[in-house]
Amino acid sequence: ILLRRILAKIDLAGSYGMLAEDVNMIELLINGLKPGQAWPDNVGRPATKRFMVDIVANKRNGIDVDKLDYFLRDSLCCYGRPTVDCHVPRLLASCRAIVVDGESQICYEEKLALSLGDIFTLRAKLHKYAYQHRVVKVIDHMISDILQEADAYFHVKGTDGSPVKISDAVEDIDGFCSLGDWILQAMDASTEPGMQASQRIINRLNERNLYSVAGHAQFARHQYQTTRDSIKEELLAFVDEEHHAGLTKALIIEFTKITYGSSDSSGNPDDPINHVSFYNPKTRPNQAHKLPSARLSPL
């Protein structure tokens, strides 16, 4: 929707010679295409161009320029240096489009398998120590509570200048585009009496008086099939009646899932290298194959 909104303001045909099918192709590249999914007939390109959907949003194995960009950038910010030995220009120079299982896809030289594995290991580390760190989870919930408490009292300008609640902004493209980090400062500065509950949480956030982490447990996914509600009920069974109502409202259960970013046909985590096709430039430069399963994900 955002793409269509941007392009609607541009004379695509006159300035760039773009047709409707070109816009459809751009949209396809952004959204990606799952393996086995039919190639659309409204993008103006034959199915031999299917490898192009692996570039930005790779639904096949997750190796795309989007992840290569932010994995290396975020590891630099978190650790002070890139934590994987992966030379991206070399990686891009060593890949080629080959038809595998009837679909044109991006394949890599066999010798790059270890470097690609390091990228997925970096992904797991970033999720564990940055993206899904317990403090990040806590702040996520605090911001969520701020927005929920303010929802009935704080509005943004939507379509035709009409006021839109934050919870309704996802249905109003103009309202959605107006959202940003600034809304927390605007809420904090508001004189609306109903904003006091949100302002108390904002004050806690500013003072680093965060929600407390009561405890955590670690388990493999297949060992503990449950839900947040069932865990909450189990814990509240040990709480006396005096504190039961307060804890029912205050207790938050959160799951943190750390994997290499890949799943098998049953939905269980596996090694993403299993979904990457490789070729040998010296012996079979135009034929690709999967590597033997040499390891299982311990995550």
Side-chain angles (χ1 to χ4, degrees):
I1 296 176
L2 290 176
L3 173 68
R4 298 286 180 175
R5 184 175 186 267
I6 293 171
L7 296 182
K9 300 179 180 180
I10 303 173
D11 180 13
L12 297 175
S15 300
Y16 302 98
M18 293 178 63
L19 305 175
E21 58 190 17
D22 298 318
V23 175
N24 293 336
M25 184 64 184
I26 295 172
E27 191 171 30
L28 178 66
L29 295 178
I30 294 174
N31 291 329
L33 194 66
K34 293 182 179 180
Q37 190 173 349
W39 180 255
D41 58 4
N42 64 345
V43 295
R45 278 85 177 165
T48 54
K49 299 295 184 181
R50 189 186 186 102
F51 71 91
M52 295 177 67
V53 301
D54 292 348
I55 296 174
V56 178
N58 192 334
K59 304 296 185 183
R60 189 180 304 278
N61 51 52
I63 303 173
D64 52 49
V65 293
D66 176 46
K67 292 184 181 64
L68 289 175
D69 173 50
Y70 75 75
F71 283 171
L72 297 179
R73 182 184 66 243
D74 292 351
S75 68
L76 183 63
C77 293
C78 291
Y79 304 111
R81 60 182 178 82
T83 55
V84 292
D85 182 22
C86 179
H87 191 244
V88 175
R90 176 172 174 261
L91 180 68
L92 298 179
S94 300
C95 66
R96 65 187 310 172
I98 301 176
V99 176
V100 183
D101 298 328
E103 294 182 354
S104 174
Q105 57 184 269
I106 295 179
C107 304
Y108 300 87
E109 288 190 40
E110 289 178 335
K111 62 183 180 182
L112 295 175
L114 189 59
S115 293
L116 293 176
D118 287 343
I119 291 175
F120 291 114
T121 301
L122 172 61
R123 178 194 187 279
K125 288 182 178 179
L126 287 171
H127 273 272
K128 181 175 177 59
Y129 299 115
Y131 308 146
Q132 299 192 69
H133 188 272
R134 65 180 184 278
V135 175
V136 175
K137 291 283 190 179
V138 165
I139 293 175
D140 282 348
H141 281 289
M142 294 185 73
I143 293 176
S144 177
D145 286 349
I146 290 169
L147 299 179
Q148 290 187 55
E149 294 288 352
D151 191 50
Y153 310 100
F154 187 85
H155 299 81
V156 295
K157 185 168 65 174
T159 304
D160 300 325
S162 58
V164 177
K165 294 195 301 183
I166 295 174
S167 59
D168 293 332
V170 69
E171 305 293 342
D172 187 298
I173 189 65
D174 291 321
F176 181 79
C177 288
S178 69
L179 296 177
D181 293 344
W182 65 270
I183 64 174
L184 290 183
Q185 285 74 37
M187 290 175 180
D188 194 26
S190 174
T191 58
E192 166 64 47
M195 295 293 297
Q196 292 180 0
S198 287
Q199 289 168 346
R200 284 194 292 270
I201 305 175
I202 292 173
N203 188 54
R204 287 188 61 174
L205 202 57
N206 292 336
E207 294 179 352
R208 197 70 177 181
N209 178 20
L210 307 179
Y211 293 169
S212 299
V213 178
H216 68 274
Q218 183 172 331
F219 49 87
R221 180 177 179 225
H222 68 277
Q223 294 175 332
Y224 205 100
Q225 296 288 352
T226 187
T227 64
R228 292 179 177 85
D229 290 339
S230 63
I231 293 178
K232 189 170 185 177
E233 290 178 7
E234 186 177 343
L235 293 175
L236 290 173
F238 295 92
V239 178
D240 57 54
E241 187 175 347
E242 179 184 356
H243 300 95
H244 196 279
L247 275 178
T248 298
K249 180 180 180 181
L251 182 62
I252 299 171
I253 306 298
E254 180 62 78
F255 288 142
T256 298
K257 180 182 177 182
I258 308 296
T259 70
Y260 287 128
S262 177
S263 300
D264 60 19
S265 58
S266 300
N268 296 313
D270 70 350
D271 188 345
I273 296 298
N274 295 338
H275 306 281
V276 181
S277 295
F278 295 90
Y279 71 95
N280 189 315
K282 296 180 180 179
T283 60
R284 295 189 302 173
N286 296 314
Q287 297 183 36
H289 59 275
K290 298 288 195 302
L291 294 184
S293 299
R295 64 178 183 178
L296 294 175
S297 169
L299 299 176

